[in-house]
Amino acid sequence: MREKSKKLYERAVKLMPGGVNSPVRAFRGVGGEPVFMARGSGARLTDVDGNEYLDYVMSWGPLILGHARPAVVEAIARAAEKGTSFGASTEAEVELAAEICRAYPSIERVRLVNSGTEATMSALRVARAWTGREKILKFEGCYHGHADSLLVKAGSGVATLGLPDSPGVPRALAELTVTIPFNDLKTLQETFRLHRKQLAAAIVEPVVGNSGCIPPQAGFLDRLRELTAEQGTVLIFDEVMTGFRVAYGGAQERYRFRPDMTTLGKIIGGGLPVGAYGGSAKLMDQVAPAGPVYQAGTLSGNPLAVAAGLMTLELLRQSGTYEKLEALGARLEAGLVEAARAASAPITISRVGSMFTLFFSAKPVTDYAAAKRADATRFGKFFRALLDRGVYFPPSQFEAAFISTAHTEADIEQTIRAAAEAFRHLAD
Ligand SMILES: *Cc1c(COP(=O)(O)O)cnc(C)c1O
């Protein structure tokens, strides 16, 4: 059934570490062998053996408009015809920067980079330069890319593989990263007392996506905003996943916050590699050549990626986009809960708009520790049962799933039917 995928994987493991270019793709969290994809269209993927899947990975978030949306493909092709990279500025970069600044009032100046990892890494550098402090605060199970300072108690693939903090990260650097649980007000307050005026930055996924989807509880982000403001700590909202996802203006629009800095990625590249970091003019004007904080990139602001991003944002601005995503998300959540109940499968669904995680946990999941208590083995079985029924969920209990505007109500109903069968299969 997946013979070609199997053969490719056998070749790949001899050529690439673990056979992949990014860890979670290897299916280690769910068992079985990874699927090699041949093409995508709308909400569907086709693998190299010709099997079709309804996709809820959506390239891990960027493809909010679905695969190969014609207007986005055309925008990329038009840009490519004019040249793929100049190593000089283009008009489209100015347009994308303008749109980001318009949609995120907390961003007065923005710098484009090539990935979310570069965005968070650079934002930390700016925060450290601004404050003259070295320590940073992050939250357990949040993933901010793979820069050294941030690979401490990280989510995503690190959580999926159950890895300890990564070897290769100098201890001296890791010691500068303070980590505490998300949604834990008491520990948050104690931490700011203990490290009074020593924290350069607090970086947070305002809606966690990388331990699975975990929404912020009432008051948590408010207290974080207050404490960081009081102590001159730069508050960085890592909206690489939530930006243009949980609302056009990200979590900061949805929950009405004004962070000091914001990192973006995923959706702003429309499926091509892009990241961005931004904030107030005074913070960002430290960055070279306006200021002394160095950060550069040969392909930064790449014309193809910027064209894909600009077209994606333009289409997202059409009226009703986020209402539609919310309606599809609500229907899928209700259908999955009902199907699980009918099969007596204890699950919890965490969802914010079109991002969600189905946890095999009877209790609500409010932090990383709770996510780790979910039954990842059952999730793996459920994942494989769904895959065999033509539905591709993220291959890990610790990842968020995504709905796109290309998903239809009929797709959602098909997914619910497949899930109902998968839950019954688990009970057998
Ligand atoms: C995906 C992600 C990153 C890393 O982005 P890359 O483009 O994979 O480097 C950082 N932060 C968050 C919140 C993410 O979801």
Side-chain angles (χ1 to χ4, degrees):
M1 187 178 153
R2 287 194 279 269
E3 275 310 305
K4 270 195 184 164
S5 275
K6 203 173 145 65
K7 288 217 177 77
L8 279 171
Y9 184 54
E10 279 164 14
R11 264 183 82 196
V13 287
K14 293 184 195 131
L15 298 165
M16 303 186 275
V20 292
N21 282 317
S22 194
V24 186
R25 296 179 194 170
F27 281 27
R28 295 275 175 94
V30 289
E33 278 157 349
V35 184
F36 282 66
M37 297 302 174
R39 56 187 181 275
S41 174
R44 285 180 166 70
L45 278 170
T46 306
D47 72 14
V48 288
D49 290 285
N51 302 301
E52 207 179 75
Y53 307 92
L54 245 175
D55 185 16
Y56 288 92
V57 178
M58 287 294 156
S59 188
W60 302 98
L63 300 181
I64 194 167
L65 301 174
H67 294 275
R69 172 88 174 231
V72 176
V73 174
E74 280 158 28
I76 297 168
R78 275 199 306 272
E81 277 168 11
K82 294 186 209 151
T84 54
S85 182
F86 309 120
S89 298
T90 62
E91 184 175 353
E93 288 168 83
V94 181
E95 295 302 333
L96 184 56
E99 184 50 28
I100 289 171
C101 293
R102 194 190 64 77
Y104 291 73
S106 68
I107 304 181
E108 291 170 353
R109 302 245 206 289
V110 64
R111 166 65 58 86
L112 297 181
V113 291
N114 301 294
S115 68
T117 295
E118 279 182 64
T120 56
M121 185 180 80
S122 310
L124 283 188
R125 188 175 300 144
V126 169
R128 282 172 160 153
W130 178 255
T131 56
R133 306 172 186 170
E134 295 194 330
K135 282 188 206 166
I136 60 156
L137 175 66
K138 81 175 278 290
F139 297 89
E140 288 170 13
C142 283
Y143 177 71
H144 304 292
H146 62 86
D148 282 345
S149 291
L150 292 164
L151 267 190
V152 182
K153 298 205 174 138
S156 191
V158 185
T160 301
L161 298 172
L163 296 176
D165 293 337
S166 179
V169 174
R171 176 171 304 155
L173 206 53
E175 279 169 2
L176 295 174
T177 303
V178 178
T179 47
I180 62 171
F182 188 73
N183 273 337
D184 182 341
L185 268 177
K186 199 161 154 266
T187 307
L188 180 70
Q189 290 177 167
E190 277 169 21
T191 304
F192 273 87
R193 197 162 44 236
L194 200 65
H195 301 277
R196 188 170 167 73
K197 299 202 171 172
Q198 291 171 30
L199 295 168
I203 185 166
V204 67
E205 290 183 70
V207 176
V208 182
N210 285 293
S211 317
C213 178
I214 304 178
Q217 288 181 325
F220 179 70
L221 293 175
D222 301 78
R223 196 70 192 112
L224 180 62
R225 178 62 284 189
E226 285 166 14
L227 288 164
T228 47
E230 272 167 36
Q231 299 198 7
T233 297
V234 176
L235 176 59
I236 305 171
F237 267 21
D238 181 358
E239 299 231 43
V240 169
M241 187 184 288
T242 53
F244 299 95
R245 166 63 66 181
V246 299
Y248 191 78
Q252 52 196 277
E253 175 188 305
R254 190 172 177 121
Y255 301 107
R256 296 172 201 283
F257 282 101
R258 194 181 170 98
D260 301 310
M261 294 189 78
T262 300
T263 52
L264 294 165
K266 298 195 168 117
I267 289 174
I268 61 163
L272 272 70
V274 184
Y277 64 103
S280 65
K282 63 182 183 355
L283 277 166
M284 289 302 290
D285 283 348
Q286 296 182 102
V287 177
V293 176
Y294 201 71
Q295 185 273 310
T298 301
L299 292 174
S300 293
N302 176 262
L304 272 57
V306 167
L310 270 175
M311 181 53 75
T312 297
L313 300 192
E314 183 179 330
L315 294 171
L316 284 176
R317 287 196 298 280
Q318 290 174 351
S319 71
T321 299
Y322 290 89
E323 290 80 358
K324 178 188 170 178
L325 288 169
E326 170 60 33
L328 291 172
R331 173 62 197 130
L332 182 58
E333 177 181 351
L336 291 174
V337 166
E338 176 54 36
R341 189 180 308 133
S344 304
I347 65 147
T348 297
I349 293 183
S350 299
R351 181 180 68 83
V352 177
S354 58
M355 74 185 254
F356 68 95
T357 297
L358 186 157
F359 288 107
F360 279 86
S361 161
K363 293 194 196 128
V365 173
T366 56
D367 62 13
Y368 182 46
K372 278 201 296 194
R373 284 195 295 272
D375 190 338
T377 308
R378 288 194 100 191
F379 179 86
K381 284 186 191 152
F382 176 72
F383 166 86
R384 293 196 303 275
L386 271 186
L387 193 69
D388 290 342
R389 287 162 180 78
V391 176
Y392 185 52
F393 259 37
S396 166
Q397 177 69 98
F398 305 106
E399 297 285 356
F402 300 100
I403 298 167
S404 75
T405 60
H407 286 77
T408 63
E409 282 172 32
D411 293 335
I412 299 294
E413 297 308 324
Q414 182 189 329
T415 306
I416 294 167
R417 283 195 302 276
E421 280 183 33
F423 285 130
R424 283 198 294 275
H425 171 79
L426 287 186
D428 291 343

